[in-house]
Amino acid sequence: MFCAIPLSFAFRYLVLIEREQPAFISSKDLKYLTLVPYALGILSTVSYALGSESSIFLREQVRSHYPSYNLSSHVLFGTNLLHFPHQFIALFLPTIPVFPTFFLTLRFKSKTIAYLDSHKQTMSPLTLFAHHRIIKALSIQSMLPFFFLVIPVNVFFVIWFFKLGIPLVEHSLFFCASIIGFLNPIATFYFINPYQQALRTTFKAAVSRRLSLIAPAWVSSAQWSHLQQNAINFP
């Protein structure tokens, strides 16, 4: 996830500068680097799957450390980091790359903004506005993993290290990790005007079609059936 963040800013920067001078990599070839985050994600998933403990062992461990937990109707799935040290790969990959990737993100962002500021005279106001809106959207999307993944994972590590039984915090980790995919498109729709227009057009068309099916009080049932049939057959 974090490895994909600087790629978005790098693509935006390469699109701007390659019009004047060739870069070390073209924006079209940058798509091959997007395979790196997926490869790391697959490595993390495989590492976690190969180190899963048996449910019997996990149930005994939970009962010994947290006797207040009721596990009668629950299925346990997890791992023991002491028995499978390679599991730290699955836990560190979502957090360790945050520092180098954010450094690269800030670098590409600053270079992109500097390029836009130095070429104000050669770009139209609409083009500058569109680029700045995209930069804002990417900036917000790049901060979401920090608030909804890095902080919850570190809190989880603290709870695990001190053996604190706080189920709410433990379960909130999965909620925070899943909400990132929900907030990313919201930022895109808010800042990117073509997406806004497409969403408004779709919404207005759906609302107008729904409103066209509402029968006034003075329309008879036969007339209303005729109107419904015409509305359904309307392309």
Side-chain angles (χ1 to χ4, degrees), residues 98-110:
V98 63
F99 302 105
T101 53
F102 269 111
F103 174 77
L104 292 175
T105 299
L106 292 175
R107 178 171 176 80
F108 282 117
K109 178 183 177 180
S110 61

Side-chain angles (χ1 to χ4, degrees), residues 96-196:
I96 293 300
V98 63
F99 302 105
T101 53
F102 269 111
F103 174 77
L104 292 175
T105 299
L106 292 175
R107 178 171 176 80
F108 282 117
K109 178 183 177 180
S110 61
K111 291 175 73 69
T112 303
I113 294 177
Y115 182 91
L116 293 175
D117 293 338
S118 62
H119 290 73
K120 288 182 178 180
Q121 305 300 328
T122 60
M123 292 185 178
S124 64
L126 183 60
T127 302
L128 288 173
F129 177 77
H131 279 290
H132 282 292
R133 295 280 288 185
I134 294 175
I135 292 298
K136 289 181 180 179
L138 293 177
S139 300
I140 292 178
Q141 291 176 345
S142 64
M143 293 302 297
L144 291 178
F146 177 78
F147 290 104
F148 292 97
L149 190 60
V150 176
I151 294 179
V153 167
N154 283 277
V155 173
F156 177 79
F157 268 120
V158 172
I159 293 176
W160 172 78
F161 182 79
F162 291 101
K163 297 182 179 180
L164 302 176
I166 308 178
L168 179 62
V169 177
E170 297 172 1
H171 293 295
S172 64
L173 174 63
F174 301 96
F175 172 77
C176 292
S178 60
I179 202 174
I180 297 176
F182 173 76
L183 296 177
N184 271 329
I186 293 179
T188 303
F189 279 110
Y190 181 79
F191 285 100
I192 309 302
N193 289 331
Y195 292 159
Q196 288 185 18

Side-chain angles (χ1 to χ4, degrees), residues 2-127:
F2 292 107
C3 296
I5 295 175
L7 293 178
S8 301
F9 287 91
F11 176 79
R12 181 56 44 193
Y13 177 67
L14 291 176
V15 167
L16 293 173
I17 67 170
E18 67 183 3
R19 299 182 303 174
E20 301 178 354
Q21 57 183 1
F24 66 96
I25 184 174
S26 64
S27 58
K28 295 181 180 180
D29 295 334
L30 195 65
K31 60 185 178 183
Y32 298 108
L33 291 179
T34 58
L35 298 176
V36 175
Y38 292 101
L40 293 177
I42 294 174
L43 176 63
S44 175
T45 304
V46 172
S47 174
Y48 186 81
L50 293 178
S52 58
E53 284 278 8
S54 64
S55 59
I56 299 176
F57 174 80
L58 294 175
R59 193 177 299 273
E60 293 176 354
Q61 291 294 320
V62 173
R63 285 177 179 175
S64 62
H65 292 88
Y66 307 102
S68 60
Y69 282 17
N70 183 12
L71 306 176
S72 58
S73 60
H74 293 78
V75 177
L76 297 183
F77 179 83
T79 184
N80 187 353
L81 296 178
L82 299 179
H83 291 174
F84 300 95
H86 66 276
Q87 287 293 338
F88 282 99
I89 299 176
L91 297 176
F92 284 157
L93 279 180
T95 55
I96 293 300
V98 63
F99 302 105
T101 53
F102 269 111
F103 174 77
L104 292 175
T105 299
L106 292 175
R107 178 171 176 80
F108 282 117
K109 178 183 177 180
S110 61
K111 291 175 73 69
T112 303
I113 294 177
Y115 182 91
L116 293 175
D117 293 338
S118 62
H119 290 73
K120 288 182 178 180
Q121 305 300 328
T122 60
M123 292 185 178
S124 64
L126 183 60
T127 302

